[in-house]
Amino acid sequence: MAKQILLTGGAGYIGSNTALELLNAGYEVVIVDNFCNSDEKLDERLAGIPVYKADVTKYGELAEVFGKYDFHAVIHFAALKAVGVSVREPLEYYANNVGGLLTTLRLMQAHGVNRIVYSSSATVYDPAGPLPYTETSPVGNANSPYGQTKVICEQIIRDYTASNPGFTAHLLRYFNPIKGAVKEKPRGVPNNLYPYIQQVHEGLREKLTVNGNDYPTRDGTCVRDYIDCTKIAQSHIAPLEAETPGLYIKNIGTGNGTTVLELIRQYEQENNCVIPYEIGPRRAGDIPECYCAG
Ligand code: NAD
Ligand code: WQD
């Protein structure tokens, strides 16, 4: 019988791409989402997957789903992720992201589900730490409440894993996802660079504003580690099969740093188009460079 995998937040961008990869690999996928940042209508390639509208912070709602299946693992994507909003609404971010993880872990404990794959982020690394980031680089001093929720959630999982010898936890620290078989469909004005470029290409926005070109980088714009979301999706499969219980931490990036201007050029070449842009001021909270050792 196929292994049943619960994807919380599975209707979102990375969750949908992962669902597709898991189906291709022969897993049975179940999705829970409250659709606060996704459409109830999933990508057509995901038709047939059971999808439950439930809030992972609400024990009763999530308990109903746990009661119906015998999950081999949970992949916990569900979270709010807008860095800027988290600065204005920190309580909502802590309640949703930390509360949602706690409820999920409590239900896993109650049902004897002993494996979690957690969507962590490059944002957990101390921005003052040396580059490239490796899994042993210093963590903390996140520059937003959103980032801090990821630091706290990692610690909760670390503590729970230490208390439960049969438990397996994989913390996947994603760098900057782009592309993917299922495209990101952000609501409103995109916060992130890649979907903004896509919307300029599609004619939904007139031009891109590059947030500063006076950083100490090769062309003055910020450097990030952009990774294809299909690769991110595939990175969830090995953790579902790891045999030895314990805590595993992995960076999910390419090891290559790309500037904003380089990403625009790459997009233009790949799509045979021109992306109009202007140079604007720096964006508060941005660090000049962020990439992993690969
Ligand atoms: P997304 O917003 O597309 O997906 C998250 C999904 O979780 C959405 O469908 C949303 O409706 C759902 N959700 C949020 N709160 C919920 C709740 N209380 N109950 C049920 N569902 C809830 O975001 P994404 O880019 O797919 O990110 C997935 C995960 O990866 C998140 O944990 C995010 O923090 C993390 N991450 C994302 C990035 C990135 O740049 N996209 C980078 C690093 C880490
Ligand atoms: C990349 C570069 C912008 C938009 C964020 C989160 C991080 C992680 C990934 C979840 C920066 C510049 C952007 C625009 C621009 N998410 N930019 N014009 O900030 O590296 O990471 O998403 O964990 O936690 O902080 O990604 O795509 O927002 O920005 O010039 O319209 O593009 O200033 O230099 P970031 P991003």
Side-chain angles (χ1 to χ4, degrees):
M1 207 177 90
K3 287 176 180 155
Q4 298 181 327
I5 314 293
L6 174 63
L7 273 55
T8 70
Y13 171 44
I14 304 174
S16 297
N17 277 287
T18 304
L20 205 56
E21 291 300 320
L22 295 188
L23 288 183
N24 290 340
Y27 292 95
E28 190 179 330
V29 173
V30 176
I31 287 178
V32 159
D33 206 298
N34 67 354
F35 307 108
C36 67
N37 197 38
S38 50
D39 282 346
E40 298 208 21
K41 194 179 169 308
L42 264 67
D43 185 276
E44 59 194 19
R45 289 162 289 183
L46 301 178
I49 292 182
V51 181
Y52 296 90
K53 183 168 184 172
D55 184 328
V56 295
T57 65
K58 303 208 167 111
Y59 193 93
E61 290 185 21
L62 199 54
E64 278 198 30
V65 182
F66 271 84
K68 290 185 205 284
Y69 297 93
D70 180 18
F71 292 123
H72 167 71
V74 174
I75 308 183
H76 189 64
F77 295 105
L80 297 171
K81 63 160 184 176
V83 174
V85 180
S86 80
V87 175
R88 297 193 296 277
E89 297 172 14
L91 300 186
E92 194 185 338
Y93 270 66
Y94 284 111
N96 193 73
N97 294 3
V98 179
L101 173 69
L102 286 173
T103 306
T104 303
L105 285 173
R106 284 173 63 210
L107 274 156
M108 290 175 70
Q109 186 177 41
H111 289 263
V113 182
N114 270 329
R115 187 182 298 261
I116 193 167
V117 185
Y118 177 70
S119 294
S120 190
S121 167
T123 193
V124 300
Y125 289 116
D126 188 332
L131 287 158
Y133 294 126
T134 69
E135 288 80 355
T136 54
S137 294
V139 162
N141 294 323
N143 55 9
S144 72
Y146 164 74
Q148 202 55 36
T149 68
K150 293 286 160 188
V151 174
I152 292 169
C153 286
E154 282 202 355
Q155 187 60 46
I156 290 169
I157 293 171
R158 193 174 279 117
D159 291 344
Y160 182 60
T161 307
S163 77
N164 181 348
F167 196 76
T168 304
H170 288 257
L171 310 179
L172 302 186
R173 294 174 176 161
Y174 315 145
F175 280 67
N176 292 58
I178 58 170
K179 306 181 185 174
V182 186
K183 218 170 111 177
E184 182 165 22
K185 283 182 266 161
R187 298 189 162 179
V189 183
N191 296 308
N192 296 114
L193 178 59
Y194 197 80
Y196 205 107
I197 293 176
Q198 282 177 319
Q199 292 200 358
V200 173
H201 181 203
E202 288 160 7
L204 295 172
R205 318 243 160 232
E206 194 193 334
K207 59 176 179 263
L208 173 77
T209 301
V210 174
N211 300 328
N213 67 349
D214 57 351
Y215 286 97
T217 62
R218 50 187 173 268
D219 63 19
T221 65
C222 290
V223 168
R224 297 289 183 270
D225 189 333
Y226 297 98
I227 173 163
D228 193 312
C229 198
T230 297
K231 293 235 166 65
I232 296 190
Q234 287 162 349
S235 73
H236 296 80
I237 292 179
L240 299 178
E241 302 302 331
E243 281 175 11
T244 312
L247 182 79
Y248 300 85
I249 304 176
K250 195 161 170 24
N251 284 338
I252 308 297
T254 64
N256 297 315
T258 303
T259 69
V260 175
L261 295 179
E262 286 165 353
L263 192 75
I264 297 171
R265 299 279 170 260
Q266 250 178 48
Y267 188 95
E268 288 177 331
Q269 276 164 18
E270 285 171 13
N271 296 281
N272 194 22
C273 65
V274 173
I275 300 296
Y277 68 85
E278 63 182 6
I279 306 295
R282 289 183 176 196
R283 184 174 72 177
D286 271 347
I287 53 172
E289 297 189 279
C290 176
Y291 53 91
C292 70

